[in-house]
Amino acid sequence: MTNEPLLFPNLEQFVQYASQELPSSRIIILTNGLLLTEERTKRLLEAGIKELTINNYTKRPDTFPEKFFRIGKLCGPYGIQFLAQTRNIDEVLNSRGGTSPNKKSQGIVHDSCPYPFSQFNVNGRGLVSKCCADVLFKDPMGDVTKEKVLDIWNGENFQRVRSALEQGKREELEGCKECDFTGSTIVQVGAKLSNIKEVKE
């Protein structure tokens, strides 16, 4: 889910359904952690998530909320990948398909991109975007309310996007021609739990 997934009240039900129907899938929750409680973490773990990443956006990168330490300990017995990191609230990353308000693309990048080869993003209406940067779903790859997931994943739209990217032809793709992501994101401020100071909430 693009943006903050914990805003969705029925998230656990969707995770459980996806993990049952697609047992080989890797369900990842990426959150800022503001709405994440220990109780909800337990429900998500039991529902079948495989990875939990918390980005703690702050201007105090040397500190970390105490609850994230407790949440990390909850994840241990489930054997899932857990990552909690500080993120500079003012940091500028990539242009996100030209939609980032604080960074516009400086021109077309003639490189490929891993996202359409590894991501399957679905919005609340069932539309599938080619990657997480297409936050407005301007160039949908399909509709899960009308098509099977595998048919969309292997379908003409995804194949068209992947082929253009492999050839370095981003200018042919809506959104991609304004995007400067090339496969890695540099986090300007990061910290390991062992290197930071706990702060009480």
Side-chain angles (χ1 to χ4, degrees):
M1 177 177 286
T2 301
N3 295 316
E4 178 50 59
L6 297 182
L7 288 171
F8 188 52
N10 298 323
L11 180 61
E12 293 89 336
Q13 294 174 325
F14 276 66
V15 169
Q16 184 176 31
Y17 180 80
S19 64
Q20 290 174 348
E21 297 298 314
L22 300 166
S24 297
S25 64
R26 184 170 182 80
I27 302 172
I28 301 169
I29 300 296
L30 177 63
T31 174
N32 62 25
L34 294 178
L35 297 175
L36 190 61
T37 63
E38 292 175 72
E39 181 56 39
R40 194 160 196 200
T41 299
K42 290 178 183 177
R43 295 202 302 268
L44 287 168
L45 290 167
E46 291 169 358
I49 65 170
K50 296 295 188 292
E51 183 176 331
L52 175 61
T53 295
I54 301 173
N55 287 321
N56 179 48
Y57 292 93
T58 179
K59 291 189 176 182
R60 298 180 58 201
D62 60 329
T63 62
F64 226 69
E66 182 185 17
K67 74 172 181 179
F68 295 155
F69 289 88
R70 299 194 301 268
I71 286 171
K73 290 179 181 178
L74 288 175
C75 295
Y78 289 85
I80 75 162
Q81 182 175 328
F82 173 74
L83 173 65
Q85 60 187 356
T86 58
R87 298 287 295 272
N88 185 343
I89 200 168
D90 296 320
E91 73 181 290
V92 177
L93 297 176
N94 58 68
S95 66
R96 296 192 64 79
T99 62
S100 175
N102 56 4
K103 185 182 182 185
K104 296 301 179 182
S105 176
Q106 301 300 307
I108 296 173
V109 176
H110 296 284
D111 286 332
S112 187
C113 174
Y115 283 163
F117 297 86
S118 60
Q119 291 188 353
F120 195 86
N121 301 277
V122 186
N123 71 5
R125 294 179 294 156
L127 293 180
V128 178
S129 69
K130 59 178 169 286
C131 78
C132 60
D134 185 13
V135 294
L136 301 178
F137 290 74
K138 288 184 176 180
D139 186 19
M141 300 291 99
D143 184 338
V144 296
T145 67
K146 300 175 182 177
E147 306 164 80
K148 294 181 179 179
V149 168
L150 280 178
D151 289 342
I152 297 172
W153 181 250
N154 296 316
E156 182 179 333
N157 288 332
F158 261 124
Q159 296 301 330
R160 168 182 53 85
V161 169
R162 293 168 186 150
S163 177
L165 288 172
E166 286 178 330
Q167 298 175 59
K169 297 180 178 179
R170 291 195 184 199
E171 66 274 10
E172 296 181 359
L173 304 171
E174 180 71 26
C176 296
K177 59 188 175 184
E178 291 90 24
C179 189
D180 60 4
F181 182 72
T182 58
S184 62
T185 298
I186 297 174
V187 178
Q188 296 174 334
V189 176
K192 296 181 179 179
L193 292 182
S194 59
N195 297 334
I196 56 183
K197 174 185 176 183
E198 293 184 35
V199 291
K200 301 293 183 180
E201 300 166 277

Short mmCIF file of all heavy atoms in Angstrom, two decimals, residues 38 41-42 44-46 49-50 52 69-82:
data_model
loop_
_atom_site.label_atom_id
_atom_site.label_comp_id
_atom_site.label_asym_id
_atom_site.label_seq_id
_atom_site.Cartn_x
_atom_site.Cartn_y
_atom_site.Cartn_z
N GLU A 38 2.00 -1.88 20.12
CA GLU A 38 2.43 -3.27 20.32
C GLU A 38 1.29 -4.24 19.99
O GLU A 38 1.52 -5.30 19.40
CB GLU A 38 2.89 -3.45 21.76
CG GLU A 38 4.18 -2.70 22.09
CD GLU A 38 4.55 -2.80 23.55
OE1 GLU A 38 4.98 -3.89 23.97
OE2 GLU A 38 4.40 -1.78 24.26
N THR A 41 0.97 -4.49 16.26
CA THR A 41 2.11 -5.24 15.75
C THR A 41 1.86 -6.73 15.87
O THR A 41 2.10 -7.50 14.94
CB THR A 41 3.40 -4.89 16.52
OG1 THR A 41 3.68 -3.49 16.35
CG2 THR A 41 4.58 -5.69 16.00
N LYS A 42 1.33 -7.16 17.02
CA LYS A 42 1.02 -8.58 17.23
C LYS A 42 0.01 -9.06 16.20
O LYS A 42 0.14 -10.17 15.65
CB LYS A 42 0.48 -8.80 18.64
CG LYS A 42 1.50 -8.62 19.74
CD LYS A 42 0.84 -8.80 21.12
CE LYS A 42 1.84 -8.54 22.23
NZ LYS A 42 1.19 -8.64 23.57
N LEU A 44 -0.57 -7.87 13.19
CA LEU A 44 0.05 -7.93 11.87
C LEU A 44 0.99 -9.13 11.75
O LEU A 44 1.05 -9.79 10.71
CB LEU A 44 0.83 -6.63 11.60
CG LEU A 44 -0.03 -5.40 11.31
CD1 LEU A 44 0.83 -4.14 11.35
CD2 LEU A 44 -0.71 -5.53 9.95
N LEU A 45 1.70 -9.43 12.82
CA LEU A 45 2.58 -10.59 12.83
C LEU A 45 1.78 -11.88 12.68
O LEU A 45 2.14 -12.78 11.91
CB LEU A 45 3.40 -10.62 14.12
CG LEU A 45 4.48 -9.54 14.27
CD1 LEU A 45 4.98 -9.48 15.70
CD2 LEU A 45 5.63 -9.77 13.30
N GLU A 46 0.69 -11.96 13.40
CA GLU A 46 -0.16 -13.15 13.34
C GLU A 46 -0.86 -13.26 11.98
O GLU A 46 -1.16 -14.37 11.52
CB GLU A 46 -1.18 -13.13 14.47
CG GLU A 46 -0.53 -13.32 15.83
CD GLU A 46 -1.48 -13.03 16.99
OE1 GLU A 46 -2.64 -12.63 16.72
OE2 GLU A 46 -1.05 -13.18 18.15
N ILE A 49 2.66 -10.92 8.08
CA ILE A 49 3.65 -10.07 7.44
C ILE A 49 5.02 -10.73 7.52
O ILE A 49 5.31 -11.49 8.43
CB ILE A 49 3.70 -8.65 8.06
CG1 ILE A 49 4.16 -8.70 9.53
CG2 ILE A 49 2.37 -7.95 7.92
CD1 ILE A 49 4.45 -7.34 10.11
N LYS A 50 5.87 -10.42 6.54
CA LYS A 50 7.22 -11.00 6.49
C LYS A 50 8.31 -9.97 6.77
O LYS A 50 9.46 -10.31 6.99
CB LYS A 50 7.46 -11.62 5.12
CG LYS A 50 6.55 -12.80 4.81
CD LYS A 50 6.81 -13.96 5.74
CE LYS A 50 6.05 -15.22 5.33
NZ LYS A 50 4.60 -15.10 5.49
N LEU A 52 8.87 -5.76 8.48
CA LEU A 52 8.34 -4.53 9.07
C LEU A 52 9.45 -3.50 9.11
O LEU A 52 10.50 -3.72 9.72
CB LEU A 52 7.81 -4.80 10.49
CG LEU A 52 7.33 -3.57 11.28
CD1 LEU A 52 6.17 -2.88 10.57
CD2 LEU A 52 6.94 -3.97 12.70
N PHE A 69 11.73 -0.11 20.32
CA PHE A 69 12.55 -1.18 20.89
C PHE A 69 11.66 -2.36 21.29
O PHE A 69 11.99 -3.52 21.05
CB PHE A 69 13.31 -0.67 22.12
CG PHE A 69 14.42 0.29 21.79
CD1 PHE A 69 14.18 1.65 21.68
CD2 PHE A 69 15.72 -0.17 21.60
CE1 PHE A 69 15.21 2.54 21.40
CE2 PHE A 69 16.75 0.71 21.31
CZ PHE A 69 16.50 2.06 21.21
N ARG A 70 10.52 -2.05 21.90
CA ARG A 70 9.61 -3.12 22.33
C ARG A 70 9.02 -3.84 21.12
O ARG A 70 8.87 -5.07 21.12
CB ARG A 70 8.49 -2.53 23.19
CG ARG A 70 9.00 -1.86 24.48
CD ARG A 70 7.86 -1.60 25.44
NE ARG A 70 6.82 -0.74 24.88
CZ ARG A 70 6.80 0.59 25.01
NH1 ARG A 70 7.76 1.20 25.70
NH2 ARG A 70 5.82 1.30 24.49
N ILE A 71 8.68 -3.09 20.08
CA ILE A 71 8.12 -3.69 18.87
C ILE A 71 9.14 -4.60 18.20
O ILE A 71 8.81 -5.68 17.71
CB ILE A 71 7.64 -2.58 17.91
CG1 ILE A 71 6.34 -1.96 18.45
CG2 ILE A 71 7.43 -3.12 16.50
CD1 ILE A 71 5.87 -0.72 17.72
N GLY A 72 10.40 -4.18 18.20
CA GLY A 72 11.45 -5.01 17.63
C GLY A 72 11.57 -6.35 18.33
O GLY A 72 11.77 -7.39 17.70
N LYS A 73 11.42 -6.33 19.66
CA LYS A 73 11.49 -7.57 20.44
C LYS A 73 10.32 -8.49 20.13
O LYS A 73 10.44 -9.71 20.13
CB LYS A 73 11.55 -7.25 21.93
CG LYS A 73 12.85 -6.60 22.37
CD LYS A 73 12.84 -6.28 23.86
CE LYS A 73 14.15 -5.61 24.27
NZ LYS A 73 14.14 -5.26 25.71
N LEU A 74 9.15 -7.90 19.84
CA LEU A 74 7.98 -8.71 19.49
C LEU A 74 8.19 -9.47 18.19
O LEU A 74 7.70 -10.58 18.01
CB LEU A 74 6.74 -7.80 19.35
CG LEU A 74 6.15 -7.21 20.62
CD1 LEU A 74 5.02 -6.26 20.26
CD2 LEU A 74 5.65 -8.31 21.53
N CYS A 75 8.94 -8.85 17.26
CA CYS A 75 9.14 -9.45 15.94
C CYS A 75 10.08 -10.65 15.99
O CYS A 75 10.00 -11.53 15.13
CB CYS A 75 9.71 -8.41 14.97
SG CYS A 75 8.58 -7.05 14.61
N GLY A 76 10.97 -10.68 16.98
CA GLY A 76 11.99 -11.72 17.06
C GLY A 76 11.46 -13.14 16.94
O GLY A 76 11.91 -13.91 16.07
N PRO A 77 10.49 -13.56 17.77
CA PRO A 77 10.01 -14.94 17.71
C PRO A 77 9.37 -15.33 16.38
O PRO A 77 9.26 -16.51 16.07
CB PRO A 77 8.98 -14.99 18.85
CG PRO A 77 9.38 -13.89 19.77
CD PRO A 77 9.92 -12.81 18.89
N TYR A 78 8.93 -14.35 15.61
CA TYR A 78 8.28 -14.64 14.33
C TYR A 78 9.29 -14.78 13.18
O TYR A 78 8.93 -15.18 12.08
CB TYR A 78 7.27 -13.54 13.98
CG TYR A 78 6.03 -13.57 14.85
CD1 TYR A 78 6.02 -12.94 16.09
CD2 TYR A 78 4.88 -14.24 14.44
CE1 TYR A 78 4.89 -12.98 16.91
CE2 TYR A 78 3.75 -14.26 15.24
CZ TYR A 78 3.76 -13.63 16.47
OH TYR A 78 2.63 -13.67 17.26
N GLY A 79 10.54 -14.41 13.45
CA GLY A 79 11.59 -14.56 12.46
C GLY A 79 11.44 -13.66 11.25
O GLY A 79 11.96 -13.96 10.18
N ILE A 80 10.73 -12.54 11.40
CA ILE A 80 10.57 -11.64 10.27
C ILE A 80 11.70 -10.62 10.24
O ILE A 80 12.40 -10.43 11.24
CB ILE A 80 9.21 -10.91 10.30
CG1 ILE A 80 9.21 -9.78 11.37
CG2 ILE A 80 8.06 -11.85 10.54
CD1 ILE A 80 8.14 -8.77 11.17
N GLN A 81 11.87 -9.98 9.12
CA GLN A 81 12.88 -8.93 9.02
C GLN A 81 12.32 -7.65 9.62
O GLN A 81 11.27 -7.18 9.22
CB GLN A 81 13.27 -8.70 7.56
CG GLN A 81 14.35 -7.64 7.39
CD GLN A 81 14.80 -7.51 5.94
OE1 GLN A 81 14.80 -8.49 5.20
NE2 GLN A 81 15.18 -6.32 5.54
N PHE A 82 13.04 -7.09 10.59
CA PHE A 82 12.61 -5.86 11.24
C PHE A 82 13.70 -4.80 11.10
O PHE A 82 14.86 -5.06 11.37
CB PHE A 82 12.33 -6.10 12.73
CG PHE A 82 12.03 -4.85 13.50
CD1 PHE A 82 10.81 -4.21 13.36
CD2 PHE A 82 12.98 -4.30 14.36
CE1 PHE A 82 10.54 -3.04 14.08
CE2 PHE A 82 12.71 -3.14 15.08
CZ PHE A 82 11.49 -2.50 14.93
#
